């Protein structure tokens, strides 16, 4: 029997190039959230803690509560729009469930991106009309 086909990310979804910065995904995302909460107050920034380490009991509980494996790490709401960002460190790519969910969101008109840096996230958000600060440097 042939092995199941691996999902492929829609080619129109923005993916920030890999980099050599050793900063973790968590550190990158946290720095961006901090900046957004200070400088983009017209935006609501929220996290979706899908990747948290949990006991089996906690994992079962959050699944019952609606945890959706593969959902992007953060969302940004402004005016009548919402965008979703999947954060990655400098070398990792998205998992199969993340690819499937990003494709699903994109196909329904939601802006989505895979980002690695604050500058990359800000450039993507500005490109879709989000009122975020200009990228410096």
């Amino acid at each position: 029997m042939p092995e199941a086909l691996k999902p492929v990310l829609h080619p129109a979804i923005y993916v920030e190039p890999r980099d050599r910065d050793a900063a973790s995904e968590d550190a990158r995302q946290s720095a961006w959230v901090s900046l957004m909460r200070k400088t983009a107050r017209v935006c609501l920034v929220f996290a979706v803690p899908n990747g948290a380490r949990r006991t089996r009991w906690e994992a079962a509980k959050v699944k019952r509560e609606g945890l959706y494996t593969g959902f992007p790490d953060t969302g940004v709401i402004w005016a009548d729009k919402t965008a979703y960002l999947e954060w990655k460190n400098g070398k990792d790519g998205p998992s199969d469930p993340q690819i499937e969910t990003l494709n699903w969101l994109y196909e329904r008109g939601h802006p989505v991106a895979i980002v690695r840096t604050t500058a990359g996230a800000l450039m993507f958000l500005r490109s879709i009309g989000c009122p975020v600060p200009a990228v410096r440097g």
Side-chain angles (χ1 to χ4, degrees):
M1 210 185 254
E3 185 178 330
L5 294 176
K6 291 187 69 62
V8 176
L9 193 66
H10 191 287
I13 294 175
Y14 173 72
V15 178
E16 188 172 358
R18 288 176 162 83
D19 63 54
R20 295 175 191 238
D21 186 342
S24 69
E25 178 181 322
D26 292 344
R28 293 164 185 250
Q29 179 179 330
S30 296
W32 172 78
V33 167
S34 178
L35 175 74
M36 288 291 288
R37 290 196 172 148
K38 291 175 189 166
T39 62
R41 295 179 184 255
V42 298
C43 300
L44 175 73
V45 175
F46 62 94
V48 179
N50 281 334
R53 304 220 188 281
R54 299 178 175 93
T55 65
R56 281 189 183 150
W57 180 86
E58 290 168 324
K61 179 180 182 288
V62 295
K63 274 224 169 192
R64 285 191 308 272
E65 292 172 346
L67 175 87
Y68 192 86
T69 303
F71 203 82
D73 297 312
T74 56
V76 181
I77 302 171
W78 72 99
D80 62 345
K81 296 187 169 99
T82 304
Y84 299 100
L85 305 176
E86 175 59 38
W87 285 86
K88 292 294 173 195
N89 62 26
K91 62 182 190 269
D92 292 339
S95 67
D96 289 354
Q98 289 169 336
I99 291 170
E100 290 170 353
T101 302
L102 290 168
N103 286 341
W104 189 94
L105 289 165
Y106 176 81
E107 289 163 2
R108 285 153 182 84
H110 299 282
V112 295
I114 296 172
V115 297
R116 300 175 192 282
T117 65
T118 294
L122 293 176
M123 285 190 315
F124 169 73
L125 290 168
R126 285 179 67 83
S127 77
I128 59 170
C130 184
V132 296
V135 178
R136 295 183 199 158

